[in-house]
Amino acid sequence: TSMATGIVTAALMSQAPPVISRPVNQIVEHTIQTVASSTQGTTILQTQKTVVVKDDDLVAQSIASLQKSIIRITARGGDDLIARGVFIDNKGTALTDRATLEGSGAAAFDAILPGGERAPLSIRDLAGTSTLAVVDVRVATSSAFAPAALADKSKLRLGQTVLRIGGAGVDTVSVGVIATLGASGEAKTVDASVTSQMPGAILSTLFGEVVGMTTASSLALGAGSYSIVASPQVPSLTVPSVPVIKTGN
């Protein structure tokens, strides 16, 4: 049955219109077929319909999703943007650049949520030395936000599309691809056509999974460098050294 299905699928694909087989402009989620046995002992072939998604639609959807996770950090009661950050859970835990907050001179901070609501923000580990700071935002039960998914850094690939969301005011977006991957000790580099000067700017996959963030440490390597968000587990984000990915022009 499996071989026959493969032959039929290949025959159908060879007859498909040209627009269906253009991977540069489209992302195709392939048809998935599974075999299940019924209670009567007969074999049932279950098929999920193939879905074709245009990549520009996917980019727009991912950006809209990430915008629900982004916070803007200011001094308590202030309006000037110090850094950006991103929620990683629904309890108000977020990540941002430690050095930027510590070097701002502010004694206390606020987070401006995606819906415009302002909430107090505190750094969880004041004595920490990690590149990324874990912060707690005092969100209300009515606060509208959504935590971002974190990418698996081991699955980064050459040619993979990446999105950058940053900006000192309104959100600005850049789209690029991973051009090179390298390693030096614990530091990893990625070269792509995506740059940012704003601390806390986010680098994500095409599917909206956060890969990295602009930090003072990454900016020291250039505007195209990003500190990798190392793990979904918050405790592991407080280690002194965080790998760095680099993107270039």
Side-chain angles (χ1 to χ4, degrees), residues 45 52 59 63 67 76 84 100 108 122 138 148 173 175 180 239-240:
L45 184 63
V52 179
V59 168
I63 291 170
Q67 286 180 310
R76 181 67 51 82
R84 287 169 168 257
T100 299
S122 59
R138 196 181 304 167
V173 178
V175 181
T180 62
V239 295

Side-chain angles (χ1 to χ4, degrees), residues 61-108:
Q61 292 170 10
S62 296
I63 291 170
S65 178
L66 278 171
Q67 286 180 310
K68 298 176 183 177
S69 309
I70 294 173
I71 58 174
R72 292 168 170 79
I73 302 173
T74 69
R76 181 67 51 82
D79 295 321
D80 294 335
L81 181 64
I82 295 175
R84 287 169 168 257
V86 59
F87 282 119
I88 58 172
D89 68 22
N90 56 15
K91 298 179 181 179
T93 306
L95 299 176
T96 189
D97 177 37
R98 177 183 295 277
T100 299
L101 295 192
E102 293 178 345
S104 68

Side-chain angles (χ1 to χ4, degrees), residues 174-195:
S174 295
V175 181
V177 298
I178 295 175
T180 62
L181 286 168
S184 176
E186 292 186 354
K188 291 185 177 181
T189 61
V190 175
D191 293 327
S193 55
V194 199
T195 62

Side-chain angles (χ1 to χ4, degrees), residues 70-79 82-83 87 91-94 101 108-123 135-145:
I70 294 173
I71 58 174
R72 292 168 170 79
I73 302 173
T74 69
R76 181 67 51 82
D79 295 321
I82 295 175
F87 282 119
K91 298 179 181 179
T93 306
L101 295 192
F109 302 94
D110 284 339
I112 301 176
L113 276 58
E117 176 186 354
R118 184 182 290 265
L121 176 151
S122 59
I123 302 175
V135 299
D136 295 302
V137 181
R138 196 181 304 167
V139 294
T141 54
S142 60
S143 298
F145 70 93

